[in-house]
Amino acid sequence: MTDSNLKIPYLSIIIPVYNERNNLIPLEDKLDRELKKLNLSYEIIFIDDGSNDGSLHLIESMQKHNPLIRFIQFGHNHGQSAAFAAGFKAARGNIFVTLDADLQNNPADIPLLLEKIKDYDVVCGWRHKRNDPWIKRVSSKIGNAVRNRLSEEEIADTGCSLKAFRRECFDNVKLFKGMHRFFPTLMKMEGFRVTQVKVSHHPRLHGESKYNIRNRLFSSFHDLLAIRWMKKRKINYDIIKED
Ligand code: UDP
Ligand code: MG
């Protein structure tokens, strides 16, 4: 291990990867360029979520010339929430920034999040101009509206992976499958201050989306009911005196 491996960085960039081979080199290029401008210490953690397209091999070769890269390899595909959970556990920074590996999120937007996190605990990216097929745009609009209604929330775009968190946000939160779509609500339940900021969004140039209406609708609706239940049944009490 070199010295730079041992230093505690300010920022941990956490990126789940599932079959993103052709996106990884341009992503690293862009991240490298943008992060160097910030003049902050950082680490980049790739979580390979059971890829079978050689993504991990590429990550390992990127790590050889960039010691700020770390990785976790899953034996199977465990899903995006599991990948985030493993990334948060391994992360050493004070601030965690999450983003997708497919360059649909733009690393150039990271400073917008860092600026806002000075006054908040969680900053959620809001893809106000989505660059996805219309079916995805419409289903996501409906999904966000239903989610906000049933969970009594006001988050415009909870599906945007580009988010920043103070590390304490995850101290007491237990994550479950599918929960990555509800991070803002989970954090608010813990008393953290959550805000959102408009970010850019780009079409996917390489590889395929891992989600479609079929594999998202039913499971995320169940997850929504679970969150709604958790929110309603959260234990609150006020102590007047204690001896
Ligand atoms: N991803 C993952 N495990 C999965 C599904 C997705 O790690 O089981 C990663 C994927 O590689 C990408 C991010 O999560 O970096 C978002 O996935 P995708 O781009 O397919 O979602 P979309 O943008 O189409 O909603
Ligand atoms: Mg994507």
Side-chain angles (χ1 to χ4, degrees):
M1 230 183 211
T2 63
D3 272 347
S4 60
N5 287 108
L6 293 170
K7 275 188 202 138
I8 304 280
Y10 174 72
L11 205 60
S12 294
I13 310 285
I14 296 163
I15 310 177
V17 176
Y18 182 39
N19 292 339
E20 302 288 0
R21 184 184 54 202
N22 293 325
N23 293 311
L24 293 172
I25 302 265
L27 172 67
E28 197 225 347
D29 263 8
K30 219 161 185 189
L31 271 173
D32 211 41
R33 221 172 322 130
E34 299 301 331
L35 293 171
K36 273 189 181 135
K37 286 188 213 161
L38 294 177
N39 220 4
L40 295 169
S41 55
Y42 65 90
E43 62 180 0
I44 301 173
I45 306 177
F46 289 105
I47 304 93
D48 179 59
D49 185 14
S51 299
N52 51 23
D53 70 340
S55 288
L56 185 81
H57 183 68
L58 260 181
I59 294 169
E60 283 177 309
S61 60
M62 285 168 6
Q63 192 193 43
K64 287 201 178 98
H65 69 86
N66 185 351
L68 302 177
I69 290 179
R70 302 169 62 200
F71 69 84
I72 294 166
Q73 181 189 17
F74 284 172
H76 298 94
N77 177 236
H78 292 289
Q80 212 176 332
S81 283
F84 279 133
F88 296 144
K89 197 160 178 212
R92 296 172 302 186
N94 294 332
I95 305 289
F96 300 169
V97 169
T98 55
L99 79 158
D100 286 347
D102 59 0
L103 275 171
Q104 290 206 262
N105 301 134
N106 187 352
D109 289 331
I110 293 174
L112 297 176
L113 278 76
L114 296 182
E115 191 49 42
K116 277 262 177 187
I117 201 116
K118 290 177 186 161
D119 301 316
Y120 290 89
D121 303 303
V122 180
V123 183
C124 307
W126 168 11
R127 301 163 292 182
H128 64 121
K129 283 188 189 141
R130 273 293 278 270
N131 259 303
D132 270 326
W134 71 268
I135 184 90
K136 206 164 203 162
R137 291 203 311 268
V138 172
S139 61
S140 161
K141 250 205 168 98
I142 297 172
N144 276 310
V146 173
R147 193 178 295 124
N148 279 332
R149 182 80 191 262
L150 291 188
S151 59
E152 291 164 12
E153 270 297 352
E154 295 167 332
I155 303 292
D157 182 20
T158 175
C160 178
S161 288
L162 186 58
K163 291 187 171 75
F165 306 88
R166 290 180 188 275
R167 81 172 289 125
E168 314 79 89
C169 292
F170 293 97
D171 285 352
N172 297 313
V173 170
K174 178 130 185 73
L175 296 180
F176 293 87
K177 283 183 184 172
M179 289 294 114
H180 65 277
R181 298 196 183 89
F182 300 93
F183 283 153
T185 305
L186 291 172
M187 300 306 153
K188 278 191 191 172
M189 282 167 62
E190 293 293 310
F192 291 111
R193 300 157 302 167
V194 178
T195 190
Q196 39 194 354
V197 65
K198 286 182 183 172
V199 294
S200 55
H201 189 243
H202 302 270
R204 186 186 252 280
L205 295 181
H206 305 288
E208 282 171 9
S209 168
K210 312 304 177 297
Y211 301 109
N212 53 44
I213 294 191
R214 227 176 331 121
N215 71 10
R216 208 165 38 167
L217 185 69
F218 294 107
S219 58
S220 61
F221 188 68
H222 276 128
D223 297 341
L224 171 61
L225 296 183
I227 287 284
R228 184 178 150 89
W229 178 85
M230 279 163 70
K231 216 175 148 178
K232 285 213 179 317
R233 306 294 286 166
K234 184 174 186 309
I235 292 178
N236 286 312
Y237 49 78
D238 61 327
I239 299 177
I240 295 177
K241 213 183 237 177
E242 194 178 346
D243 201 359

